[in-house]
Amino acid sequence: MRFLIGTALRLRRIPSKWNLSFCSSASCRRFHHLEQSQSEFDMGDAGEKFEEYTIVQEGEAEILLHSGNRVFYNKTQVNNRDMSIAILRTFISKCKEEHATKFSRKAHLASKMPEGTPPGPISEESNIVQDEEPQEDCEMKLNQSLYEMETILRESHKTIASKEKEELKAPKVLEALAASGLRSIRYAREIDELGQIVALDCDKVCIEACKRNVQFNGSVASSKVEAHLADARVYMLTHPKEFDVVDLDPYGSPSVFLDSAIQTVVDGGLLMCTATDLAVLCGGNAAVCYSKYGSYPLKGKYCHEMALRILLACIETHANRHKRYIVPILSVHMDFYIRVFVRIFTSANEVKNTPLRLSYVYQCIGCDSFHLQSLGRTSIKNNSVKHAPGFGPVVPQECSNCGKKFNMGGPIWSAPIHDQEWVASMLANVKAMKDRYPAYEKISAVLTTVLEELPDVPLFVSLHNLCTTLKCTPPPAAMLRSAVINAGYRISGSHVNPLALKTDAPMDVIWDIMRCWVNNHPVKTRPANQPGTVILSKEPTLRANFAQAVTASWKTQAEKVRRFVPNPERNWGPKIRGGRQIKSKHASTLGQMSVNGLVSHERRNGPQLVALETDERHEHIGHKGDEPDSKRERDL
């Protein structure tokens, strides 16, 4: 059954349950435009009513959301979408700078060529003439021909340079898993310099909802966003190197999309990828993690940062198969997911350096000390760089601190996971346009904390974890940081964990500092076989200096900037996957009030048509029969 929005407005049949706070002046103008154009929306199956849709606003976009949870929408992902918009704006400005630099270099080369002067004398090899012609006339003709050729070449250089300058087109974006289309609509309405945006989904209901929402958002969204019913993997494989930006935000693991996504990004393009299966990436099921990402996770306090590095290593290995490599721009852990932004480049020679950026991790099962071992190394021989496997192992069979065995994890990405220059540009842009970011406080806090991280130090130690091992009272964080700095090492925090200490100091130095602290703050006697007892039984070789260091305080503390923002409301987390029936057992996820409202709505209007739980929608990662990634997903 079809309904006209304009007819509904003229008859004043707007449902009372709609939140009138969304009816801003912009919304009213959009309704008026829809009424004038007599736009017709397909509201789905016969018997459905327009009253079953509510208007959800985020940023400058508004979508019609069905009360039956037919299309997945997660309010929590506003942080994800805001961060993506911020990095897209920075990406556009960086592309302009790179293009201008490239054009100026070519223009400089073209200007070096002589203009208006004939070329110098020709060589004797080319001074071959026929006997009947004078030698001077032949040489003059050759010089004139060479002059004309150089003039043509110079003009062609100028033409090519000017043509390249004009060929800087607006970036083309692909959202591989669109669902309601909210992300694509926000891109279209809030980023003016973006070009075409292609929104894909393999579920017909999602594509219908996406097209309806695109039309609902007016001419700007309609002119930029195209919605297609297609399998994202097949579509990306059949459009190689076509999109400047590819956005992957699946419900679960992105691993099955990575190979095709790598191939559809242009050289120098941007890949934005989300993974929500943190139970797998953080060590809940190591076998599944290896099957999906080709890496073993470890259960440490740094597990969320290790999850980021596992995902980056997985993307890099997929890129290497196509003679491509990645350059991470930003990698963050927020809420219940991780999100990475990487640029894709093509260079068979640079791919050889990939083993230098990957490492295995050895973690002690007793004291949680960790050590990294690079997969590769380089050596210079006869003025050429030779690549070889890395030396190892870097640790003995037993931990030198507590005597326990090591677990081995990885490989992980051990190179920097952020580009500090990009992050600084993003933060400046976010602060300058704070009114246009609904999640300004969250993303500005994350970017500020990322700027303080040591970019070349993988993983971190936790202050409370160190003290738990030794069974001692924890020292003030500033005091421990001062001891590390006074010992001649660097230290910083991490956006992943408020108690994280990211430092280039070896674990032996960290334990020596803790031994010195315990000597001044004695602990109770513990059994001799415990790791903490073994560590404290050794005398420290380094005498820690706990005097206050100038750089021991975070810059954000002096500026009174919040580094970790609490959740804005209760039940702030992953929502029920689209197509699932909302029941009372989901109260812990959605909140009791939300569940009661949905159940009472179903009692008034009858049960809603719900998609099958094992269909081929992208929330199920594109495959039937995939095992759930966590207990929560099995219970659902």
Side-chain angles (χ1 to χ4, degrees):
M1 184 176 182
R2 298 178 178 270
F3 291 84
L4 293 174
I5 293 292
T7 305
L9 287 175
R10 285 196 297 271
L11 295 178
R12 301 181 181 274
R13 293 193 299 183
I14 300 178
S16 59
K17 71 172 183 175
W18 280 13
N19 190 347
L20 297 181
S21 62
F22 291 128
C23 295
S24 59
S25 58
S27 303
C28 295
R29 286 195 299 269
R30 193 171 299 116
F31 273 119
H32 183 63
H33 169 73
L34 292 173
E35 182 178 1
Q36 287 180 338
S37 61
Q38 296 295 315
S39 300
E40 186 175 355
F41 294 93
D42 183 7
M43 306 308 290
D45 300 319
E48 269 190 12
K49 298 180 179 179
F50 185 66
E51 287 79 1
E52 295 174 357
Y53 290 84
T54 57
I55 297 179
V56 175
Q57 183 177 15
E58 184 180 295
E60 298 181 14
E62 294 177 348
I63 62 172
L64 296 170
L65 185 64
H66 194 273
S67 59
N69 194 40
R70 300 185 62 180
V71 179
F72 181 70
Y73 164 73
N74 200 347
K75 181 181 179 180
T76 316
Q77 294 286 67
V78 61
N79 301 329
N80 187 316
R81 290 183 280 266
D82 272 12
M83 189 71 78
S84 303
I85 290 173
I87 204 165
L88 276 178
R89 288 180 174 140
T90 307
F91 174 72
I92 292 173
S93 63
K94 292 290 184 181
C95 286
K96 289 182 179 179
E97 293 175 6
E98 293 172 359
H99 187 78
T101 303
K102 182 179 179 181
F103 169 74
S104 61
R105 187 184 299 113
K106 291 197 174 184
H108 179 67
L109 292 175
S111 65
K112 281 187 174 182
M113 298 188 65
E115 185 172 356
T117 56
I122 57 177
S123 61
E124 294 182 359
E125 289 79 2
S126 61
N127 192 16
I128 301 175
V129 295
Q130 296 181 0
D131 294 338
E132 62 270 16
E133 292 185 0
Q135 184 175 356
E136 293 80 2
D137 294 343
C138 183
E139 185 175 350
M140 185 180 299
K141 290 180 181 180
L142 287 174
N143 288 341
Q144 185 177 0
S145 300
L146 288 174
Y147 173 71
E148 291 176 355
M149 290 176 62
E150 289 193 4
T151 303
I152 294 172
L153 184 60
R154 182 171 54 251
E155 294 298 328
S156 64
H157 273 290
K158 292 181 179 180
T159 304
I160 292 173
S162 60
K163 184 177 180 182
E164 287 185 353
K165 185 177 182 180
E166 296 174 356
E167 283 183 351
L168 181 60
K169 299 180 181 179
K172 190 176 180 181
V173 182
L174 171 67
E175 186 188 2
L177 309 163
S180 64
L182 174 61
R183 186 182 298 264
S184 295
I185 294 170
R186 286 199 63 187
Y187 290 167
R189 292 184 58 84
E190 300 181 31
I191 307 176
D192 299 331
E193 296 174 297
L194 279 184
Q196 182 188 17
I197 302 172
V198 177
L200 303 178
D201 206 291
C202 62
D203 182 51
K204 185 177 180 181
V205 176
C206 291
I207 289 300
E208 290 175 355
C210 183
K211 291 180 178 179
R212 179 167 56 246
N213 291 328
V214 168
Q215 191 176 6
F216 184 69
N217 279 267
S219 59
V220 175
S222 300
S223 61
K224 286 187 176 182
V225 182
E226 297 180 4
H228 298 288
L229 178 64
D231 188 314
R233 294 164 296 180
V234 176
Y235 188 92
M236 289 187 289
L237 285 174
T238 54
H239 294 76
K241 294 187 177 181
E242 183 173 327
F243 293 94
D244 300 277
V245 181
V246 174
D247 195 327
L248 293 177
D249 187 20
Y251 195 108
S253 172
S255 57
V256 296
F257 302 103
L258 291 179
D259 194 76
S260 52
I262 288 291
Q263 298 180 62
T264 196
V265 181
V266 301
D267 198 35
L270 182 66
L271 173 62
M272 306 187 290
C273 181
T274 303
T276 63
D277 55 336
L278 290 189
V280 171
L281 284 165
C282 293
N285 195 330
V288 174
C289 183
Y290 184 81
S291 66
K292 290 185 176 181
Y293 299 97
S295 180
Y296 266 108
L298 295 174
K299 290 184 178 181
K301 293 296 182 180
Y302 50 72
C303 61
H304 292 107
E305 182 179 333
M306 190 173 187
L308 285 169
R309 295 182 179 275
I310 288 175
L311 179 57
L312 288 173
C314 183
I315 299 174
E316 173 76 354
T317 54
H318 280 286
N320 290 166
R321 299 185 183 105
H322 307 283
K323 298 181 180 180
R324 313 190 86 180
Y325 66 98
I326 68 171
V327 176
I329 302 302
L330 178 66
S331 308
V332 293
H333 165 255
M334 294 191 301
D335 300 324
F336 56 91
Y337 57 88
I338 58 175
R339 177 82 160 164
V340 298
F341 305 87
V342 300
R343 297 190 70 180
I344 309 295
F345 295 95
T346 304
S347 173
N349 190 48
E350 188 65 27
V351 169
K352 298 177 183 178
N353 294 321
T354 291
L356 305 177
R357 298 188 283 260
L358 301 179
S359 297
Y360 287 106
V361 183
Y362 293 91
Q363 177 182 291
C364 176
I365 63 176
C367 62
D368 286 344
S369 300
F370 65 90
H371 307 269
L372 274 70
Q373 175 181 313
S374 178
L375 265 69
R377 58 184 172 89
T378 57
S379 60
I380 299 178
K381 185 177 181 180
N382 298 329
N383 295 328
S384 62
V385 179
K386 300 293 183 181
H387 297 267
F391 288 123
V394 295
V395 294
Q397 285 292 319
E398 296 180 351
C399 177
S400 59
N401 295 302
C402 68
K404 299 295 183 179
K405 299 288 186 180
F406 285 96
N407 281 331
M408 189 175 73
I412 65 169
W413 179 270
S414 54
I417 61 175
H418 312 297
D419 188 316
Q420 301 297 92
E421 182 183 352
W422 273 68
V423 177
S425 300
M426 286 179 60
L427 184 59
N429 174 272
V430 169
K431 290 182 176 179
M433 308 174 68
K434 59 185 301 183
D435 296 335
R436 301 188 66 182
Y437 291 98
Y440 166 76
E441 290 189 3
K442 177 67 175 181
I443 64 173
S444 62
V446 171
L447 293 176
T448 302
T449 312
V450 165
L451 273 180
E452 292 184 342
E453 290 185 13
L454 292 175
D456 57 341
V457 177
L459 308 182
F460 57 83
V461 296
S462 171
L463 175 57
H464 284 190
N465 197 45
L466 295 174
C467 297
T468 300
T469 301
L470 300 179
K471 303 296 188 292
C472 68
T473 303
M479 185 176 292
L480 182 61
R481 294 197 297 268
S482 297
V484 174
I485 294 171
N486 294 331
Y489 299 96
R490 298 174 299 155
I491 191 169
S492 74
S494 173
H495 77 281
V496 172
N497 191 324
L499 300 174
L501 297 174
K502 187 180 286 287
T503 177
D504 58 350
M507 289 303 303
D508 294 339
V509 173
I510 299 297
W511 287 123
D512 277 348
I513 293 175
M514 294 303 299
R515 289 187 185 103
C516 293
W517 167 259
V518 173
N519 287 340
N520 298 328
H521 302 79
V523 298
K524 295 180 179 180
T525 304
R526 302 287 179 180
N529 60 345
Q530 289 191 358
T533 306
V534 177
I535 292 173
L536 293 177
S537 65
K538 301 177 182 179
E539 288 295 325
T541 58
L542 171 72
R543 294 300 172 181
N545 179 10
F546 292 99
Q548 181 70 28
V550 177
T551 57
S553 298
W554 307 134
K555 188 182 299 183
T556 52
Q557 290 179 340
E559 299 175 356
K560 296 183 178 179
V561 177
R562 301 177 69 181
R563 297 171 62 242
F564 294 90
V565 179
N567 294 334
E569 59 187 43
R570 297 182 62 185
N571 306 109
W572 188 259
K575 304 305 179 184
I576 305 303
R577 138 186 330 179
R580 296 287 182 100
Q581 289 182 337
I582 308 298
K583 299 181 180 179
S584 58
K585 67 179 181 179
H586 300 133
S588 61
T589 302
L590 299 177
Q592 189 62 49
M593 295 182 62
S594 301
V595 172
N596 290 341
L598 291 167
V599 172
S600 61
H601 174 81
E602 183 175 334
R603 289 173 179 172
R604 290 195 307 269
N605 301 280
Q608 304 298 323
L609 295 176
V610 181
L612 293 176
E613 296 185 0
T614 56
D615 60 6
E616 61 273 11
R617 300 177 61 183
H618 71 263
E619 291 88 352
H620 295 263
I621 323 175
H623 285 304
K624 294 184 179 180
D626 273 3
E627 294 184 359
D629 294 336
S630 65
K631 184 176 184 301
R632 169 174 287 182
E633 293 185 13
R634 291 196 296 269
D635 293 339
L636 294 183

